[in-house]
Amino acid sequence: MIHSVTSESYIFLTMILCGMLSGVLYALLRALRKVVKKKFFISVSDVVFAAATLAILFFALEKTCGGNIRFYQIAGFIAGICIIELFFTLITQRRRS
């Protein structure tokens, strides 16, 4: 399957958004961990987070490009997670100051 630059840009941006969604889910999980400190909850929530992240990733890969995996798609997903982590780090640092 041949992709044009426009479609590859769309796929890359979609993967960034999916990575951002996973980053938000992880931030919510981190907040829940501060409230609930049971070891069982942490184990179950890790499994649920991993399953949700994989579902988001595979659904996005299937819908955007028919399941073909390219390096820039994974890089976009990781970049989305990093963007959200940086955003939440900046917000929490401002609160502490």
Side-chain angles (χ1 to χ4, degrees):
M1 176 189 258
I2 298 175
H3 294 288
S4 67
V5 174
T6 306
S7 67
E8 287 180 353
S9 300
Y10 167 76
I11 292 168
F12 183 69
L13 290 174
T14 302
M15 296 309 292
I16 288 176
L17 290 174
C18 290
M20 291 173 79
L21 177 63
S22 291
V24 168
L25 287 176
Y26 186 72
L28 291 173
L29 174 66
R30 196 177 328 156
L32 279 175
R33 283 184 177 179
K34 290 183 180 180
V35 175
V36 181
K37 298 187 182 204
K38 305 255 185 206
K39 211 170 200 181
F40 178 75
F41 174 76
I42 291 173
S43 299
V44 170
S45 63
D46 284 344
V47 171
V48 169
F49 171 73
T53 299
L54 285 173
I56 291 168
L57 179 62
F58 289 129
F59 180 76
L61 287 172
E62 182 63 33
K63 287 297 179 183
T64 57
C65 59
N68 295 329
I69 300 175
R70 307 249 187 236
F71 174 75
Y72 70 91
Q73 295 164 329
I74 302 302
F77 191 81
I78 293 170
I81 293 172
C82 292
I83 289 168
I84 290 296
E85 284 298 314
L86 180 64
F87 177 72
F88 282 123
T89 301
L90 291 174
I91 286 176
T92 56
Q93 284 180 353
R94 281 196 173 169
R95 278 190 172 169
R96 291 180 189 161
S97 300

